[in-house]
Amino acid sequence: MGSAILLALNLANSSFASNLSDGNQNNRTQGKFASFAPLTPDTPVVGIDLGTTYSCVAIIRNERIGVEVIPNESGNRITPSVVGFTDDERMVGEPAKNQAHLFPQRTIYGIKRLIGRKFGDPEVQADKEWLSYEIVSGKDGSAYVRTNVVRGLSRDLSPEEISSMILLKMKQISEAFVGNDIQHAVVTVPAYFNDGQRQATKDAGAIAGLNIVRIINEPTAAALAYGFGKIKGNRKILVADLGGGTYDVSLLDLKDGLFTVLAISGDTHLGGEDFDQRLAEHFSKIFMKKHQKEVKSDNRAIQLLMSHVEKAKRDLSTLLYTRISIENLMHGIEFNEQISRARFEELCSDLFKKIIDPIEIVMRDSGLKKTEIDSILLVGGSTRIPKVRSIISEYFNGKELSQNINPDEAVAYGAAIQAAMLRGNKKRILIDITPLSLGVEVSGGLMSHIIPRGTQIPTKIAQSYTTEQDYQQLIKLSVYEGERSLVKENRLLGQFALTDLPAMKRRVPSIQVTFSIDENSILSVTAREETSGIEKSITINQDKSRLSNDEINRMLQDAQRYAEQDKVIEGRINAQKALENYIFSMENTVDESLANALLIIDKKAIKSTLKEAKIWIKENEDSATQIDFEDYLHDIQLFCDPIIKRAYKRIAKELAEEDYSSEL
Ligand code: ADP
Ligand code: MG
């Protein structure tokens, strides 16, 4: 990647201060492309973080449940800011990112680096060197993208047009979520964006059919997410935003709801993609050593490796070890490697060292002492990396970092708060939705969510379950609300049991559990075992035992705070279950389906392996990690699967011979 460019700007008393209390603002773009109905307290307004690498959208539909970060079509809460063209279609978000390496000149990413800039801008000239698509001088000397669009036509597109495609995607994601039109949005931009870049962002919104009611600074949005908009008095807030490709540090001064940017600095080429690159280089070297093959020579292999290393990097934010496992990296070769967090930190150590420089610059420019900083907010997906957090915390002598909002969602979260403020002060509940998720307890003490939080009521959702033990005659159903992975951290709403079930082996019964909530928030839960028809239900009147808004908020905050930890616990329990399931199904295969087809010696070998595995689980249940369970499973699969495969082959051969002989 090109050389890093440090930005330092002193913005004391600049025009970027934004007043949060007023409701309306002139919108220069309004009416240029479309006209929009004026905002009322009932108008849905989303907050959009239009990021360089990922975008995120959030909304407040109901004051009681607060901000909801909206998942995209694959259930992810952030969406790649990538637009891709093939001869047949235009793709935005995940599909575009997934095929990026196949169409490098037709996949447009990082467009935020170009928006509102002239072709001759030194930043554009520097970026041009390493962006894989073509940049040309367009209208009025602005930077444009030249690419082949659908049907292979070459076209020059403005960054506003590309950005509008991303905004349109975020609009569609929101509309699918709320089930209604979304016409208005608050969009965030970096604090250093000038008027031209801000205006271009607004124009992008208008092209997408969105009325951008307000552009706000990303660090300001992050501060709003942390509730600083409501605080009376004076605060100094440092916001460090390490995203996918850029690092922005801002120092904010807050006086009674009015934010002023005191100083900003950053590194326009430092972020998650650089860490991915380091991991990819590391694994490419290993692959070269083992197989004498150059990953870089194969676009498909690069693409596969990049998506796996990004995932591994994310895993290493919560786990000390992880592995990448790619079935066919290239030439049919399977690639399976472990990596530790320590090794990852070593590979990126020179990059991590660059984190402090911009912080020092804003401190120097603002003339403030470290002790005068009241709060430090870490924003951007890459601040989930423990090393990044510790480097910043150490610089401020161990000062606590605010961290109860997901760093890659904080900007959109704050934008949604600003959006709700602009919608009007009258506190109105737009629609009635479930404030917390509802579900039942499943094995391992895990919560299985049935109705997600934020579901519009009335609603009815069913899900199927089965048993874990042979001849289970009783199935207990415990109904909980809450977002945590383990039911013991959630709130128990009620319990009942299906009794006198006919004797069935484990995994045979099919239990349909239906949750329905009526207009009056009354929840009824029905469980029905399909083969026997045995059925029971309970009714829970939620209005009577409803939690207060404060209690709901506390539960949501806990869920955010412990999200990573919960993921580790859940991953571990699921890995143990996967191992147990494998043992169980292998036992069935050996004793039942293949009982007569296996050689006695193979049968014995598998049985003793399974027995050992069961003992191993018993002895290590409490101390084993997710990786330990996965490794164990991998090992016994390597042993058992080929034997089973051979047995099936033998059966197939015998059958074929029989057929042949009967024809004679
Ligand atoms: P942007 O730079 O577009 O504002 P984000 O703030 O969403 O984007 O940051 C995206 C980057 O954060 C990506 O490089 C992604 O890999 C990284 N990231 C997301 N989650 C994690 C995690 N758990 N650990 C480490 N990096 C993460
Ligand atoms: Mg960002």
Side-chain angles (χ1 to χ4, degrees):
M1 269 187 196
S3 62
I5 299 162
L6 274 178
L7 276 172
L9 270 171
N10 197 328
L11 294 177
N13 305 321
S14 79
S15 59
F16 295 157
S18 58
N19 191 334
L20 293 168
S21 52
D22 67 343
N24 256 318
Q25 167 178 281
N26 284 340
N27 185 338
R28 274 193 272 165
T29 318
Q30 196 164 324
K32 195 159 151 191
F33 297 91
S35 63
F36 300 97
L39 294 189
T40 72
D42 289 327
T43 314
V45 186
V46 291
I48 300 177
D49 167 11
L50 183 61
T52 309
T53 60
Y54 282 93
S55 295
C56 181
V57 59
I59 190 172
I60 297 182
R61 287 188 290 170
N62 178 316
E63 307 291 344
R64 271 181 54 118
I65 91 153
V67 177
E68 293 176 277
V69 176
I70 305 179
N72 64 21
E73 71 278 13
S74 345
N76 294 320
R77 291 149 69 98
I78 57 176
T79 298
S81 305
V82 182
V83 176
F85 300 95
T86 67
D87 283 347
D88 309 315
E89 58 178 331
R90 180 174 96 193
M91 289 176 271
V92 186
E94 278 167 32
K97 185 171 177 174
N98 290 339
Q99 50 106 63
H101 276 78
L102 303 178
F103 305 97
Q105 289 101 15
R106 302 174 77 175
T107 304
I108 319 302
Y109 53 91
I111 198 65
K112 197 172 171 182
R113 295 183 183 280
L114 303 181
I115 199 162
R117 290 187 192 269
K118 295 285 181 218
F119 178 71
D121 185 322
E123 287 269 334
V124 172
Q125 287 302 311
D127 287 343
K128 204 170 133 254
E129 296 305 311
W130 58 269
L131 289 172
S132 58
Y133 52 88
E134 196 182 348
I135 302 173
V136 296
S137 175
K139 207 172 123 214
D140 309 327
S142 297
Y144 268 54
V145 171
R146 176 167 295 166
T147 188
N148 287 340
V149 295
V150 182
R151 291 198 298 281
L153 303 170
S154 172
R155 271 197 55 199
D156 291 353
L157 297 168
S158 65
E160 289 88 324
E161 284 171 275
I162 304 283
S163 298
S164 80
M165 296 168 193
I166 300 164
L167 286 172
L168 180 63
K169 175 81 184 175
M170 303 318 282
K171 174 173 163 14
Q172 289 163 344
I173 290 171
S174 323
E175 288 174 342
F177 181 76
V178 303
N180 230 323
D181 269 9
I182 297 285
Q183 293 194 333
H184 308 273
V186 168
V187 175
T188 59
V189 296
Y192 61 76
F193 258 29
N194 63 27
D195 266 354
Q197 290 165 303
R198 285 163 199 260
Q199 187 54 46
T201 304
K202 266 195 162 180
D203 291 344
I207 302 170
L210 269 176
N211 171 28
I212 299 195
V213 287
R214 172 86 46 103
I215 295 271
I216 64 171
N217 288 331
E218 286 161 11
T220 304
L224 287 177
Y226 276 97
F228 285 106
K230 286 186 266 175
I231 286 177
K232 293 261 168 289
N234 201 341
R235 295 288 164 97
K236 300 275 189 288
I237 305 163
L238 182 114
V239 183
D241 180 346
L242 185 61
T246 54
Y247 179 40
D248 298 320
V249 178
S250 327
L251 190 59
L252 303 181
D253 179 45
L254 167 66
K255 272 196 197 89
D256 298 329
L258 185 76
F259 288 96
T260 314
V261 183
L262 293 181
I264 59 176
S265 178
D267 187 330
T268 53
H269 291 280
L270 180 65
E273 286 175 347
D274 300 295
F275 313 143
D276 298 346
Q277 197 63 41
R278 289 293 164 87
L279 280 175
E281 280 161 18
H282 166 76
F283 286 118
S284 297
K285 271 190 209 147
I286 295 179
F287 194 73
M288 180 53 126
K289 223 187 221 161
K290 286 194 170 167
H291 306 285
Q292 290 75 51
K293 299 256 183 321
E294 180 70 83
V295 178
K296 259 185 245 162
S297 68
D298 181 340
N299 273 336
R300 179 187 155 276
I302 298 175
Q303 174 57 41
L304 265 175
L305 185 62
M306 290 311 288
S307 67
H308 280 80
V309 296
E310 189 189 355
K311 191 182 164 296
K313 175 191 71 176
R314 291 176 189 229
D315 287 349
L316 289 175
S317 292
T318 45
L319 302 170
L320 291 176
Y321 291 90
T322 189
R323 67 161 68 249
I324 64 163
S325 162
I326 308 175
E327 206 175 313
N328 167 11
L329 179 54
M330 57 194 292
H331 303 297
I333 304 170
E334 178 184 342
F335 189 51
N336 207 317
E337 277 300 320
Q338 190 164 307
I339 179 147
S340 68
R341 184 188 288 173
R343 186 81 183 99
F344 167 64
E345 289 173 356
E346 198 180 301
L347 291 170
C348 299
S349 64
D350 59 315
L351 298 171
F352 290 160
K353 280 208 186 87
K354 296 184 182 176
I355 285 170
I356 292 305
D357 297 348
I359 298 183
E360 274 187 328
I361 292 173
V362 296
M363 295 304 294
R364 195 191 57 213
D365 287 353
S366 64
L368 291 175
K369 290 197 277 293
K370 288 184 192 179
T371 49
E372 289 175 283
I373 303 295
D374 299 298
S375 300
I376 301 158
L377 310 185
L378 296 195
V379 179
S382 300
T383 61
R384 287 178 186 256
I385 298 170
K387 189 77 191 167
V388 170
R389 311 189 74 88
S390 66
I391 289 172
I392 297 175
S393 168
E394 264 164 41
Y395 175 81
F396 287 99
N397 304 317
K399 188 172 167 59
E400 205 191 315
L401 311 169
S402 300
Q403 56 179 342
N404 51 12
I405 292 176
N406 287 333
D408 38 3
E409 298 166 2
V411 170
Y413 196 107
I417 293 176
Q418 174 74 85
M421 287 162 144
L422 293 174
R423 203 168 61 199
N425 289 327
K426 207 164 53 164
K427 282 218 165 131
R428 283 280 291 270
I429 292 174
L430 291 178
I431 46 166
D432 218 356
I433 49 194
T434 52
L436 293 166
S437 301
L438 297 158
V440 291
E441 174 174 5
V442 293
S443 61
L446 286 178
M447 171 95 172
S448 167
H449 287 119
I450 295 182
I451 297 187
R453 128 184 150 83
T455 303
Q456 214 164 319
I457 62 171
T459 183
K460 186 171 178 177
I461 303 180
Q463 210 156 294
S464 281
Y465 297 88
T466 186
T467 50
E468 283 266 293
Q469 316 253 322
D470 289 339
Y471 314 121
Q472 223 173 294
Q473 287 190 316
L474 179 137
I475 295 169
K476 205 163 118 189
L477 277 118
S478 305
V479 180
Y480 285 88
E481 71 176 350
E483 313 310 307
R484 304 287 301 274
S485 308
L486 291 176
V487 288
K488 70 173 172 42
E489 314 285 358
N490 292 327
R491 194 165 86 104
L492 180 66
L493 295 177
Q495 276 177 321
F496 64 106
L498 285 183
T499 51
D500 303 323
L501 293 171
M504 280 184 275
K505 286 208 91 156
R506 71 179 109 166
R507 311 207 159 268
V508 176
S510 165
I511 302 126
Q512 178 93 352
V513 178
T514 310
F515 274 51
S516 68
I517 307 178
D518 69 7
E519 298 77 8
N520 306 314
S521 293
I522 294 177
L523 166 69
S524 33
V525 179
T526 304
R528 179 187 159 86
E529 200 289 304
E530 300 290 349
T531 42
S532 60
I534 292 177
E535 183 180 305
K536 258 230 179 107
S537 30
I538 52 167
T539 302
I540 298 158
N541 189 340
Q542 285 195 290
D543 256 353
K544 282 197 185 123
S545 61
R546 218 169 210 180
L547 294 174
S548 70
N549 286 359
D550 281 352
E551 284 167 313
I552 290 172
N553 279 334
R554 186 194 52 77
M555 287 180 75
L556 293 177
Q557 271 175 12
D558 276 356
Q560 295 267 16
R561 187 170 315 140
Y562 297 112
E564 310 259 306
Q565 215 169 307
D566 279 2
K567 224 165 75 192
V568 174
I569 297 173
E570 201 178 329
R572 192 178 159 278
I573 294 175
N574 284 331
Q576 178 177 350
K577 276 195 200 167
L579 176 58
E580 288 168 347
N581 285 344
Y582 182 80
I583 295 173
F584 171 73
S585 74
M586 197 47 68
E587 279 175 342
N588 262 348
T589 310
V590 173
D591 288 332
E592 280 162 34
S593 37
L594 286 184
N596 300 321
L598 277 170
L599 302 177
I600 294 181
I601 175 169
D602 284 343
K603 204 169 181 177
K604 270 199 176 145
I606 291 185
K607 281 198 146 180
S608 84
T609 304
L610 298 179
K611 197 170 153 201
E612 250 174 60
K614 281 181 172 168
I615 297 173
W616 181 87
I617 294 176
K618 258 213 178 102
E619 284 173 355
N620 296 285
E621 206 163 12
D622 299 327
S623 58
T625 64
Q626 176 177 350
I627 301 227
D628 294 335
F629 284 118
E630 285 170 355
D631 281 351
Y632 205 106
L633 176 60
H634 191 72
D635 287 349
I636 62 171
Q637 276 174 331
L638 278 182
F639 181 78
C640 301
D641 288 356
I643 300 181
I644 301 297
K645 240 185 224 162
R646 273 205 307 274
Y648 274 117
K649 255 196 197 143
R650 242 188 344 259
I651 298 176
K653 209 171 139 218
E654 278 166 23
L655 286 177
E657 277 163 8
E658 265 170 34
D659 276 358
Y660 184 65
S661 54
S662 64
E663 259 175 40
L664 278 179

